Amino acid sequence: TTIYLIKSTILSLDKKGYNYIPDNIFPSNNILLSQVVKYNEDIDKRNKLISGTTEDHPDVKRISNILDGKKIVIKEGMLNFLQKLKLENDSFVKKLNSLQNKTFNLPTQDKKISRNERTITIISETYKYLMNKKEETAISLNSTAANSKVIEKAYCNNVPIYPSKKLIFLIAITIGLLIPIVIIYISEVLDTKIRKKEDITSNLDLPFLGNILTSKDKLISLDNRSPAAESIRIVKTNLEFVLKTLPSVGIIRAKTIFVTSTISKEGKSFVCANIATSFSHSGKKTLLIGLDIRNPKLSEYFEGIKQDFGFTNFISNNEKTIDDYIQPSNINKNLFVLTSGFIPPNPSELMLNENIDLMFDTLKDKFDYIIVDTAPIGLLSDTSLISRFADAFVYVTRCKYSDKNFIKEIDQLNKDKKLKNISLVFNDVSYNSNSGYVYGYGYGYGYGYGYGYGNQKEEKTILEKIKIFFKF
């Protein structure tokens, strides 16, 4: 009702003229009440003046201006008071709804209380019953007379009868021996990677050129005397010896060596580039050809070599000769590089092009050695398509990376005569895996200097020591 009266009063203030405002509709707001009382008093003064004068009289206008200002102030105060009343009303409504909800939930809560009281009563009765039974049982046990007596006091020996220390020691020693045997057996069964050269040589009746040690350098320079450099020179020397024993290799024309592997990342391109570099250092005019046209890598080993200008350009363009695509290397004057060129959409078809016969026939008359980096033969057929141009194949396997099943594939390729004159190289061999070979270098002041390598005993790992112990 108060809210309605205040709204009506606000509407009357918006009308023209000066009407009295009832002062009993907001008794709780003393400030607004005093303003309304003064406003009504000013209306009385104005009405008295108008009864004796007109509305244009200066006093009447002054009082009218005062009343207009008070109307605005009273209206704002009434709007604020109205807003306050609405908020209080909303708060009362919420409290009323909350009380109604609580009143509505009282029966449900009463049911829960009754249920809990019944449960407590049942548990209490059960507890009392069990306590009574406990007391009855205790009384019954205490009142029963013993039907046995002690004839002789028991005694014991200081040595325990069970458990037996000897049996425990025997079981512990047996388990201690069985555990390493089982571990070694499981590790051998689950290990499918080639870890030493004996894994290769014991299963293949093929020439083994040697191990290539792990190297931090991409290319071995002429003055490099590191173990990795020496291992590459050994492989190159052994390869020369193998080529001399082959009756199919000509003396006048270039010796053509294809380097391949079963899968990628076995170090095929690394071996190829370093063997070619080693031949060139020995004064042989050497050509390095990249025929792994799907994944070319040779340009990474030589500075200033254009990768997209090479073999595929020659095959696709008949206007230039093969000499136009051969690039000199930055290593020495004896080493030349023929990169694979741009990557074509049909690599296998290019390998069947008749210009390849012309290319190899021309190049064999111009170089001493031709080293060819081919595609992995276990993944692609590109190498098989051009294998007829090779005098010998160098097959690369990588330590701790190549699978032992690759050995069977190599043996099958040899039996089927798909690759001729295969020689094996074991790449990325660490010092501890190099069949006991440890390289040493020393300089003596006043006694000259030199370098060498010897067959020294390497430090065995714990697993290898356990294997040796059980073999004994």
Side-chain angles (χ1 to χ4, degrees):
T1 304
T2 304
I3 293 174
Y4 175 76
L5 291 174
I6 292 174
K7 287 182 179 180
S8 300
T9 306
I10 291 172
L11 292 175
S12 66
L13 289 174
D14 291 334
K15 297 179 181 180
K16 291 183 178 181
Y18 305 100
N19 299 318
Y20 290 101
I21 299 174
D23 55 2
N24 59 349
I25 60 176
F26 29 77
S28 61
N29 194 329
N30 294 328
I31 297 174
L32 189 59
L33 179 61
S34 63
Q35 290 177 349
V36 170
V37 170
K38 290 181 181 180
Y39 178 77
N40 290 335
E41 291 176 355
D42 290 339
I43 291 176
D44 290 336
K45 291 179 182 180
R46 184 180 181 280
N47 291 335
K48 288 179 182 180
L49 288 174
I50 289 176
S51 63
T53 61
T54 62
E55 291 184 358
D56 294 331
H57 191 274
D59 292 336
V60 174
K61 288 184 177 180
R62 180 178 57 77
I63 294 177
S64 298
N65 291 333
I66 293 172
L67 289 172
D68 289 337
K70 289 183 176 182
K71 280 174 68 175
I72 294 171
V73 174
I74 292 171
K75 182 180 178 181
E76 290 179 357
M78 293 175 73
L79 289 173
N80 293 333
F81 185 63
L82 179 62
Q83 185 67 26
K84 178 182 177 183
L85 290 176
K86 286 182 179 180
L87 293 174
E88 291 178 353
N89 185 52
D90 293 340
S91 177
F92 290 144
V93 170
K94 288 181 180 178
K95 290 180 179 179
L96 179 61
N97 292 334
S98 176
L99 292 173
Q100 288 177 348
N101 290 334
K102 291 181 179 179
T103 305
F104 179 77
N105 293 329
L106 282 176
T108 305
Q109 294 177 354
D110 185 56
K111 288 181 182 179
K112 290 182 179 178
I113 293 171
S114 301
R115 192 183 305 115
N116 292 335
E117 288 178 350
R118 288 196 298 272
T119 303
I120 292 170
T121 302
I122 293 170
I123 293 172
S124 177
E125 294 296 330
T126 304
Y127 177 74
K128 289 179 181 179
Y129 173 76
L130 293 175
M131 291 299 294
N132 291 332
K133 285 295 181 182
K134 180 182 177 182
E135 293 296 332
E136 291 175 3
T137 304
I139 293 171
S140 176
L141 291 173
N142 291 329
S143 62
T144 303
N147 56 359
S148 61
K149 64 179 180 178
V150 177
I151 297 175
E152 185 180 0
K153 289 185 178 182
Y155 67 93
C156 65
N157 193 358
N158 292 329
V159 179
I161 298 173
Y162 185 84
S164 175
K165 287 186 177 181
K166 293 181 180 179
L167 181 61
I168 293 173
F169 286 146
L170 181 61
I171 294 173
I173 292 172
T174 304
I175 294 175
L177 293 174
L178 286 177
I179 288 176
I181 292 174
V182 172
I183 292 174
I184 293 170
Y185 176 75
I186 293 174
S187 64
E188 290 290 339
V189 171
L190 298 180
D191 186 11
T192 61
K193 302 300 181 184
I194 301 174
R195 295 187 176 274
K196 51 187 177 180
K197 77 171 186 178
E198 285 76 13
D199 294 336
I200 304 172
T201 56
S202 61
N203 294 286
L204 291 175
D205 188 18
L206 292 172
F208 184 78
L209 300 181
N211 298 327
I212 295 182
L213 304 184
T214 303
S215 174
K216 297 180 181 179
D217 302 320
K218 284 188 175 182
L219 280 179
I220 304 302
S221 60
L222 182 61
D223 56 350
N224 193 331
R225 293 294 180 268
S226 66
E230 292 301 324
S231 64
I232 291 173
R233 294 186 182 103
I234 291 172
V235 169
K236 171 250 183 184
T237 302
N238 292 338
L239 180 58
E240 284 183 311
F241 178 78
V242 170
L243 291 174
K244 289 178 181 179
T245 61
L246 300 178
S248 60
V249 179
I251 300 175
I252 300 176
R253 306 194 78 191
K255 299 175 179 64
T256 306
I257 304 163
F258 279 26
V259 181
T260 188
S261 61
T262 307
I263 59 175
S264 59
K265 296 185 180 179
E266 290 186 281
K268 167 179 57 65
S269 299
F270 169 80
V271 174
C272 190
N274 280 281
I275 288 177
T277 303
S278 183
F279 275 121
S280 68
H281 285 324
S282 62
K284 303 295 183 181
K285 189 176 181 181
T286 307
L287 175 63
L288 177 59
I289 303 178
L291 289 188
D292 188 2
I293 58 179
R294 300 173 192 262
N295 187 24
K297 294 289 184 181
L298 288 184
S299 60
E300 298 177 3
Y301 293 87
F302 303 96
E303 296 180 359
I305 296 296
K306 298 179 181 178
Q307 174 56 50
D308 56 352
F309 183 78
F311 169 74
T312 54
N313 304 82
F314 168 71
I315 298 298
S316 304
N317 186 5
N318 295 325
E319 296 179 358
K320 294 183 179 181
T321 64
I322 188 63
D323 295 331
D324 296 327
Y325 297 98
I326 296 175
Q327 306 176 56
S329 71
N330 62 330
I331 304 301
N332 54 52
K333 64 180 182 179
N334 296 320
L335 182 60
F336 298 85
V337 180
L338 176 61
T339 60
S340 58
F342 67 91
I343 300 176
N346 54 344
S348 296
E349 294 179 10
L350 286 180
M351 293 301 177
L352 297 173
N353 194 294
E354 60 184 8
N355 286 336
I356 297 180
D357 296 72
L358 176 62
M359 180 188 76
F360 276 102
D361 189 60
T362 302
L363 295 176
K364 284 190 176 186
D365 293 329
K366 297 182 178 182
F367 294 91
D368 297 322
Y369 286 92
I370 298 176
I371 313 297
V372 183
D373 180 22
T374 62
I377 197 166
L379 302 176
L380 305 168
S381 62
D382 298 0
T383 304
S384 299
L385 297 175
I386 58 173
S387 61
R388 64 185 185 277
F389 302 110
D391 294 325
F393 271 88
V394 173
Y395 207 106
V396 179
T397 55
R398 183 178 176 183
C399 180
K400 300 178 184 179
Y401 182 83
S402 301
D403 199 277
K404 290 180 180 179
N405 291 327
F406 295 171
I407 298 175
K408 297 179 181 179
E409 297 181 18
I410 299 171
D411 187 44
Q412 192 63 41
L413 289 170
N414 183 52
K415 290 179 180 179
D416 296 341
K417 304 297 182 181
K418 290 184 178 180
L419 303 181
K420 58 184 178 181
N421 301 327
I422 301 176
S423 299
L424 305 173
V425 168
F426 195 32
N427 184 37
D428 197 19
V429 180
S430 61
Y431 297 128
N432 292 332
S433 302
N434 194 24
S435 304
Y437 288 93
V438 179
Y439 294 75
Y441 298 85
Y443 294 85
Y445 181 77
Y447 297 92
Y449 61 89
Y451 66 92
Y453 52 92
N455 191 357
Q456 300 178 12
K457 186 177 180 180
E458 65 176 8
E459 183 66 24
K460 301 293 184 182
T461 63
I462 295 177
L463 187 61
E464 290 172 340
K465 289 179 180 178
I466 294 174
K467 289 182 181 179
I468 293 171
F469 174 78
F470 284 108
K471 286 179 181 179
F472 173 77

